Amino acid sequence: MANDKIQILIEEYTLTKDLYLKVKTGKDLCIALSKNGRYEEGLKYGYEILMLAEEIKEDELLFYANIGMGLIYFNQAMYNEAKYYFQKALDKAFTYENKNHIAQAYNNLGTIHLNSGIIHSAIEYYTKGISLIEQIDQIEDIQLLIGLYVGIGNAYVSIKEIGQAQEYFKKTIRIKEPAALAISYFNIGCIYNDQNDFALALGYFKRSYKIYETENNIYFMFYCSLNIGTINLKRERYDSALQTGFELLEFSKKYNNKVFLVNASLLIARVYTQTGEYEKACEYFNQIKEHSSYADYNEFLVDYYENYALFLYKTEKYQEACDYSMKLKELMERIAEEDFTTNKTYLMTKFEAEQKQKEIEIYRLKNVELANTQTMIKHQIEELIHIKETQDNLLVMISHDLKNYIGGITQTLDVLGHKDKILSENKYIQQISTLSNKSMALVREIMSVNKLSIETDAIPFVEHDLNEVIEMFSEHLVIMAQNKNIDMSFEYHTEALLCMINIDKIYRVIDNLCINAIKFTNKEGKVKIKTQKSDSFVELHIIDNGIGIAEDKLPLLFKRYTNIRRQGTAGEESTGLGLYIVKQIVDLHLGEIEVSSGVNQGTQFVVKLPRA
């Protein structure tokens, strides 16, 4: 498929007489060739379009030509050369003020700095690109936006700011494009891998690989597989790791990609070192040495020096092991020094800019906006006071309810103590049970809220069919509906709706929403549970024709500190915390929840979970 695309591009490039179109097609051809390991051909066409653009002296054409040349070198991990051409492309884009093209150059430069370990500079380039794109009404290339979000997310992962990284990865998922899903799954897999949560990491890498395989993206197909092989090595599943290594070796030969070759060789050499098959390990370490020019980048060299030193130590070549350990030490010191110098320059520039901004801000506040600032502070104080009062009211309400329930239990016990008739005790025991259950229900809701407030994303997720999950938990809901003479129906999507979920937490979501639907629907009413599938999500719809919710209450439904609870149509009680808990669980799954309702018009909740 990739070769067919390349052939079409070659024909278009050869036949077209339009110079503008020729350069653009030539750029796409360069990228396609380099992605498939045909670097020499890519460079040939790259130099042709660069000379053509320089002859015409058209800045936009020079932009395309320099981007093409930069990407050819980037795909070979030749970052200094790639950076040179990307910087030239950025300079040209500024001359004709095309925001899309400037953002594209920022994205490429950010990626170069990220791969070179200069993280703060990478974040700065990505931030500039995102800022420009957000000013554009119509984005020419959605892949550019995906690249910026993913790039800055990876940069934050590198400096261990996982929360910031996940925010940008969530943004890519919301784009609802296969490429966005694939790169998000890949990066979330990297996060779990760094946290040694190998089971989750494997799941995300495999999901990412499936998407990239359909698009024949050999770069990410390779690195998804490499990560899977490395995880199996860490888990001591040596046969699986070795099989992956040999498959990647064939893959690298198929596409004539020497960067792939050295990475695959290192994986195989590491496996043989761990299993004590030192002669075989030596063979693959020698392959890396033969292609050392393709292994000359920091991220690879750190792994290579560390593992080769271990191999030499295990084969009792202590002096050589010591030499490579020293190389590793020197490399780490150099990387640290480069990071320090870069970070120092970045921080000094940032500090000077912040100081100037502070001076401007102080002047502005003193002369123009002082009154507005005071008003804003006053409003903030009032808002904080309101939040505090709301919290206090909720605690008072809960305390009052608990006091009443427990008081009821105490009074009932007093009556039992004075009764002589054994037969009458059943009624009082039943009352104690009812009041105790109410107390426990309220306590459990409070505990659930407190637990969710400190929950992290690192909860166990397993692939499930949403249809099967609903069937598993629906029996008691049907009984509850029958007790109110409510018609509860189910409409399942015809295909399996696979999603990665924590089944206990999703059970809470289904149970809470369905019980609410039954609770706020009159006798002889209807409740419908429906599932369906969209491009990026599996969906659960809970629809009733009950008493509905006032429009002004809808924005408050998922908030923690509100007092909008009410009794059901048959006097059922509620704590008012259930929907807050539902929202927190859906957020943990990177999902979405929507509600539509009106007084006496019924209610529909829609829960959307990312597809597996």
Side-chain angles (χ1 to χ4, degrees), residues 19-233:
L19 295 180
Y20 182 87
L21 185 58
K22 195 176 189 72
V23 172
K24 285 193 70 174
T25 305
K27 180 206 70 166
D28 295 336
L29 177 57
C30 292
I31 297 168
L33 286 166
S34 65
K35 281 185 175 180
N36 282 272
R38 295 162 65 174
Y39 302 119
E40 291 183 6
E41 288 180 77
L43 283 172
K44 169 181 168 291
Y45 286 107
Y47 282 122
E48 277 187 18
I49 61 172
L50 192 60
M51 291 175 64
L52 189 61
E54 287 175 347
E55 184 180 333
I56 300 169
K57 299 190 184 327
E58 171 64 45
D59 287 330
E60 188 170 359
L61 294 183
L62 283 166
F63 167 82
Y64 287 122
N66 280 293
I67 286 289
M69 288 292 291
L71 287 170
I72 294 169
Y73 284 114
F74 174 79
N75 286 328
Q76 298 177 78
M78 300 172 71
Y79 297 136
N80 287 333
E81 292 85 350
K83 181 180 176 183
Y84 169 79
Y85 285 106
F86 289 149
Q87 185 62 54
K88 288 185 71 174
L90 178 64
D91 295 341
K92 293 301 175 185
F94 270 117
T95 61
Y96 56 95
E97 299 180 349
N98 184 306
K99 290 180 179 179
N100 273 291
H101 290 174
I102 295 170
Q104 184 179 345
Y106 278 143
N107 180 48
N108 291 332
L109 285 165
T111 305
I112 288 293
H113 284 86
L114 176 61
N115 287 12
S116 302
I118 309 172
I119 307 303
H120 288 292
S121 293
I123 291 174
E124 188 173 354
Y125 279 118
Y126 288 130
T127 302
K128 287 179 179 178
I130 291 169
S131 177
L132 272 177
I133 288 293
E134 288 174 349
Q135 299 172 26
I136 300 172
D137 294 330
Q138 186 172 1
I139 301 171
E140 292 179 5
D141 182 4
I142 195 68
Q143 302 302 321
L144 173 58
L145 183 58
I146 293 170
L148 288 163
Y149 284 156
V150 168
I152 198 169
N154 283 332
Y156 280 121
V157 168
S158 298
I159 56 176
K160 307 302 181 186
E161 293 189 21
I162 304 302
Q164 285 272 47
Q166 287 178 322
E167 283 300 311
Y168 284 101
F169 294 151
K170 287 178 183 179
K171 287 183 178 182
T172 61
I173 289 176
R174 295 190 190 108
I175 293 175
K176 300 179 181 179
E177 287 278 328
L181 288 173
I183 195 64
S184 298
Y185 291 152
F186 181 87
N187 286 294
I188 293 170
C190 290
I191 289 174
Y192 283 125
N193 191 20
D194 289 342
Q195 295 172 346
N196 294 327
D197 195 337
F198 299 131
L200 275 176
L202 275 173
Y204 279 105
F205 284 133
K206 288 177 180 178
R207 291 159 74 184
S208 179
Y209 181 89
K210 285 181 182 177
I211 299 173
Y212 283 126
E213 187 177 30
T214 61
E215 298 180 349
N216 198 40
N217 187 321
I218 65 167
Y219 180 86
F220 277 105
M221 285 169 63
F222 179 87
Y223 283 104
C224 284
S225 296
L226 183 64
N227 279 307
I228 290 169
T230 304
I231 288 171
N232 282 324
L233 173 61

